[in-house]
Amino acid sequence: MGRNIYSVTDITAYLKRLISQDFMCSSISIRGELSNVKYHSSGHIYFTLKDAGAALSCIMFASDRRGLTFRMEDGQKVVCSGSVSVYEQAGRYQLYVKNAEQVGNGELYARFEKIRDELAQMGMFDASYKQPVPRLVRRLGVITSPTGAARRDIEQIAHRRNPYVQIILYPALVQGEGAVDSVIRGIRALEKEQVDVMIVGRGGGSIEDLWAFNSPEIAQAVFDCPVPIISAVGHETDTTIIDFVSDLRAPTPSAAAELAVCDIFELMDQLDGYELALKRMMGHRIERSRMLVGRCKLELDGLSPVRVLENRRQSLAEYQNKLHRGMLYKKQEAGRSIKQMHASLSGSMVSALRDGRMELIRLSDKLENEQRLRLQKAGNDVALLASRLDGLSPLKRLAAGYAYVEGEDEKGRRSVREVRSGELLKVYMRDGHILARAEQVCPADSDNMK
């Protein structure tokens, strides 16, 4: 017996015509709870309408959103009006929504709000309990499904930002029965591994898929954990209880990896910049210190007793040379005067010339005596000044038996009133110094001093 064979397209088109011709399906209002709401970049809204017994895929086109008076979110109870038809490319039937009215929140969303409010009253969401995430992480703990996309995203981004970071994965159930206990065991296991920070996350899903992360038990485990925890559950629009109690919330698992692991290459560039700036600063300071030491050395050399004595001796030598040149000049003038007088004298004046010559010899001897006396006096003055200057030398005084006393503050002590009892003193003498301690300070009586 022969039979008819149809293609998938044929049967799908037949079902679409069948449903479209049904009066009830062409214009219908359906009550249910929103789940897995997605706002597409095109403006369309994709969501699921469900109740306790079934679920229905829905779409609201951007052109029909003008009459929407609220923003659709998971857990809301709504009444959607539109038509049921078949989406042939996917082979599924769905509700094409023309209008939607909010009639209340769903049971799961009401439970979510109750848990959130109770934990908030307990203070578990308070910012004072939030732990800072360390900037440089060496051991990163990850609690997620071992086969999910969240694991791959976290590992790829973490190793791209820091190839040296160690990632310790705890494969956990992230939805369904046993997910709560699995996540709690993961937190405690990674705490024992002494990781620097943990990421608890998974990909997006409906409120039912993410419900395990609304558990008060997981919230308590996150709150009690001494290791900073970053929550990365679902997409950016998904919110769960763990997001409120965790130390830091990331919109996605990929963002959590970026928040947990610093860019080691950027950090190395910063360190190189700091090193270069520090070297430049130290170079400038060393150069300024070198210049200051040079100026101080020049000033100290200028105040040295040896340099002062050399300057005095040089001045005295210049005065002596000037006096000697003056005496030679006067002697030369006297010689020229004698020659002039000798030429003008005649034979009849030989006796007068002889007398004049004797007088000249006398004057010359007197002049030489006067010059010798002046040179002797100048030499005595130089010796006297040198003796006084030598007497002022600290080394001379130390050699004569005097001592120079210096206190703990490295300042000289000129009076016993400047010395306190018990102070450690440094006594400088000719051939070294002595460390002494003032056992008793005995000031002299002012009347006796007079």
Side-chain angles (χ1 to χ4, degrees):
M1 183 177 62
R3 58 174 178 172
N4 296 327
I5 300 177
Y6 300 95
S7 67
V8 175
T9 303
D10 292 337
I11 193 63
T12 303
Y14 171 77
L15 292 174
K16 180 175 181 180
R17 287 194 303 271
L18 188 63
I19 294 176
S20 299
Q21 293 172 0
D22 186 274
F23 174 77
M24 180 179 177
C25 294
S26 62
S27 180
I28 190 171
S29 296
I30 303 176
R31 178 187 179 95
E33 182 178 322
L34 292 179
S35 177
N36 203 21
V37 178
K38 297 292 184 296
Y39 277 75
H40 196 271
S41 59
S42 62
H44 307 327
I45 306 175
Y46 298 90
F47 58 95
T48 300
L49 196 62
K50 65 181 182 64
D51 57 20
L56 175 63
S57 298
C58 304
I59 179 173
M60 175 179 273
F61 293 117
S63 59
D64 297 320
R65 286 180 54 185
R66 291 191 296 269
L68 190 62
T69 59
F70 65 99
R71 181 177 178 84
M72 291 186 174
E73 294 181 355
D74 290 352
Q76 294 174 340
K77 284 189 176 182
V78 295
V79 173
C80 296
S81 301
S83 61
V84 177
S85 184
V86 174
Y87 180 48
E88 297 178 74
Q89 285 80 0
R92 69 170 180 266
Y93 76 98
Q94 58 187 14
L95 177 65
Y96 291 85
V97 180
K98 295 293 184 180
N99 186 31
E101 296 179 1
Q102 187 176 11
V103 295
N105 291 329
E107 295 180 2
L108 285 179
Y109 189 76
R111 289 173 56 192
F112 168 82
E113 289 187 327
K114 181 181 179 181
I115 296 172
R116 182 193 62 190
D117 295 342
E118 290 177 353
L119 296 182
Q121 291 177 1
M122 294 171 60
M124 293 179 66
F125 303 159
D126 196 286
S128 61
Y129 295 113
K130 305 296 183 184
Q131 303 179 83
V133 177
R135 185 180 183 187
L136 187 59
V137 173
R138 293 181 175 86
R139 293 166 61 87
L140 173 64
V142 179
I143 302 174
T144 189
S145 171
T147 58
R151 172 193 176 180
R152 295 192 299 272
D153 294 342
I154 292 173
E155 290 179 346
Q156 290 175 0
I157 293 177
H159 285 141
R160 185 185 66 201
R161 294 173 65 83
N162 184 0
Y164 310 105
V165 69
Q166 180 184 3
I167 299 178
I168 301 177
L169 173 68
Y170 184 90
L173 297 174
V174 293
Q175 72 179 66
E177 185 178 356
V180 173
D181 293 337
S182 180
V183 172
I184 294 175
R185 287 195 299 270
I187 293 174
R188 292 171 180 171
L190 291 182
E191 179 184 340
K192 293 179 180 179
E193 290 293 331
Q194 297 182 344
V195 297
D196 299 314
V197 66
M198 297 183 202
I199 296 177
V200 179
R202 56 151 292 164
S206 65
I207 188 172
E208 295 87 357
D209 297 336
L210 306 180
W211 186 252
F213 296 94
N214 292 322
S215 165
E217 292 80 9
I218 289 183
Q220 188 67 50
V222 172
F223 182 80
D224 295 337
C225 183
V227 179
I229 293 180
I230 301 175
S231 64
V233 178
H235 300 297
E236 186 171 1
T237 56
D238 297 323
T239 302
T240 56
I241 295 298
I242 193 175
D243 295 329
F244 296 104
V245 73
S246 62
D247 299 291
L248 185 63
R249 189 232 179 194
T252 62
S254 299
E258 293 183 355
L259 292 172
V261 180
C262 74
D263 191 333
I264 191 67
F265 305 104
E266 180 180 348
L267 180 61
M268 292 174 66
D269 291 340
Q270 291 180 356
L271 293 177
D272 290 341
Y274 293 153
E275 182 182 6
L276 180 60
L278 182 61
K279 286 182 178 179
R280 289 178 178 174
M281 182 180 65
M282 293 303 297
H284 293 330
R285 289 192 177 184
I286 291 174
E287 186 62 26
R288 288 197 298 269
S289 300
R290 185 181 291 112
M291 295 175 62
L292 179 61
V293 170
R295 288 197 299 268
C296 292
K297 186 176 183 301
L298 291 176
E299 294 178 1
L300 185 62
D301 291 343
L303 297 176
S304 172
V306 176
R307 180 61 59 85
V308 174
L309 182 61
E310 289 179 355
N311 293 337
R312 294 290 180 89
R313 285 178 177 175
Q314 184 177 357
S315 298
L316 292 175
E318 292 177 354
Y319 292 148
Q320 186 176 4
N321 291 334
K322 185 176 181 180
L323 181 61
H324 182 67
R325 288 194 299 269
M327 296 302 296
L328 290 177
Y329 177 74
K330 288 186 177 180
K331 189 173 182 179
Q332 290 174 358
E333 283 189 345
R336 287 194 294 269
S337 298
I338 291 173
K339 290 180 180 179
Q340 292 175 359
M341 293 174 65
H342 185 271
S344 62
L345 292 176
S346 61
S348 58
M349 299 179 64
V350 174
S351 57
L353 182 59
R354 184 182 300 110
D355 294 339
R357 182 178 297 171
M358 293 299 293
E359 182 66 19
L360 182 60
I361 293 172
R362 186 182 66 78
L363 291 175
S364 178
D365 292 339
K366 183 178 179 181
L367 182 61
E368 288 182 358
N369 290 333
E370 183 177 353
Q371 179 182 4
R372 186 169 51 253
L373 290 175
R374 288 188 179 184
L375 289 175
Q376 184 177 0
K377 184 176 181 302
N380 292 336
D381 291 342
V382 170
L384 179 60
L385 290 174
S387 176
R388 289 179 179 178
L389 186 59
D390 186 55
L392 294 176
S393 173
L395 298 177
K396 187 73 175 180
R397 290 177 177 255
L398 294 178
Y402 290 94
Y404 173 73
V405 180
E406 186 180 87
E408 294 178 352
D409 55 359
E410 299 183 354
K411 294 183 179 180
R413 298 291 186 262
R414 300 178 179 274
S415 170
V416 295
R417 301 182 187 278
E418 297 178 359
V419 178
R420 49 187 176 79
S421 180
E423 182 179 6
L424 182 64
L425 303 175
K426 184 180 287 189
V427 182
Y428 290 91
M429 305 185 70
R430 177 179 60 83
D431 54 353
H433 66 273
I434 301 172
L435 291 176
R437 191 174 297 279
E439 296 292 342
Q440 186 176 6
V441 179
C442 304
D445 189 0
S446 59
D447 295 336
N448 295 337
M449 294 295 294
K450 295 180 181 180

